[in-house]
Amino acid sequence: MEEKKAKSEKVGVGAWIALIVLILILSGAFRTMDGPIKVLDFTNLSGAFGTIGDTGANLIGSGGTGAKDGFMAGFNLIPAVMFFCGLLAVFEQLGAYKASEILFRPLLRPLLGIPGKCGIAFISSFTGSDVAAVMTRDLYEECSITDDERTIFVAYQYAGSACINNTITGGAPLVAISPVALGPCILIMVFCKIIGANIVRIILRLSGKKRSKEGKTA
């Protein structure tokens, strides 16, 4: 059904270009670049809050604890999520989603059992968890993925969330003492994420078969 639907929808050159640009923006490949090319990165486009005087702290402040500090951390995510939703709407109109369905279907369907439309969220989950979560919710609400497919995809995202970004920015002490280089560390995490998602996939399939047998005998 997915292949017939993809063939019936024509994907032009503009859609493929839009998909490539969107993947580059979400991949983090240009995050540390200098010059105008750095705008091809979502983090750079999202920007940062200014500092308050000479304190070096922004509106979130420093040294906070508890629920109040958690609220400010969540508040910090609102501009980036709002900007990303607008960005997705633009690229969706350009046909990036249709191109994603064709490009990622041969990879994601056998690997995780999810449709190719999850490809953009799959790429963005390497560098950020909040953006991928928003996309997964939208895919489910649009009925592009089933409840079981959403569960499998969430299982993949949740383990080792934003593995590239968190390993590079937050895992510096671990990388310093690890006998393995940064690249193999990320590959191990991705491998474990895929294994975990497929364990959930098997559990859902077995439970589905069990429910169908119970329904027949009832």
Side-chain angles (χ1 to χ4, degrees):
M1 291 295 293
E2 289 180 3
E3 292 179 0
K4 290 180 180 179
K5 186 178 179 181
K7 289 179 180 178
S8 63
E9 295 180 353
K10 293 183 179 179
V11 178
V13 177
W16 289 107
I17 295 174
L19 176 61
I20 292 171
V21 173
L22 183 57
I23 289 174
L24 289 175
I25 290 174
L26 297 176
S27 66
F30 298 100
R31 184 175 181 179
T32 57
M33 294 289 184
D34 295 325
I37 197 172
K38 69 179 183 180
V39 300
L40 286 176
D41 179 75
F42 179 74
T43 303
N44 293 332
L45 285 172
S46 299
F49 293 110
T51 56
I52 300 174
D54 298 328
T55 62
N58 56 22
L59 63 89
I60 298 177
S62 59
T65 58
K68 292 183 178 180
D69 189 52
F71 173 82
M72 294 306 296
F75 183 77
N76 181 40
L77 297 175
I78 294 176
V81 173
M82 290 177 63
F83 169 67
F84 181 73
C85 290
L87 192 70
L88 276 187
V90 173
F91 279 95
E92 185 177 4
Q93 292 298 319
L94 294 173
Y97 268 36
K98 294 178 182 178
S100 170
E101 173 69 18
I102 297 173
L103 178 64
F104 288 100
R105 188 193 315 115
L107 173 66
L108 295 182
R109 180 56 73 182
L111 192 65
L112 296 173
I114 57 178
K117 272 194 173 182
C118 298
I120 299 175
F122 178 78
I123 294 296
S124 66
S125 68
F126 287 104
T127 55
S129 56
D130 47 348
V131 169
V134 171
M135 292 190 65
T136 305
R137 182 206 62 187
D138 291 342
L139 287 168
Y140 177 72
E141 291 180 350
E142 294 169 359
C143 298
S144 297
I145 56 176
T146 64
D147 185 49
D148 284 352
E149 289 171 344
R150 178 182 63 170
T151 303
I152 295 168
F153 197 24
V154 169
Y156 168 83
Q157 294 180 42
Y158 185 76
S161 181
C163 57
I164 293 178
N165 187 49
N166 289 334
T167 302
I168 294 174
T169 60
L174 176 62
V175 174
I177 64 174
S178 175
V180 184
L182 179 62
C185 284
I186 294 175
L187 289 177
I188 291 170
M189 283 188 281
V190 173
F191 177 76
C192 292
K193 284 160 68 71
I194 294 172
I195 293 297
N198 277 281
I199 291 174
V200 174
R201 182 181 177 185
I202 293 170
I203 293 172
L204 290 173
R205 180 170 296 182
L206 293 176
S207 61
K209 289 181 179 179
K210 184 178 179 181
R211 287 195 300 266
S212 63
K213 287 181 180 179
E214 291 176 351
K216 289 179 181 179
T217 55

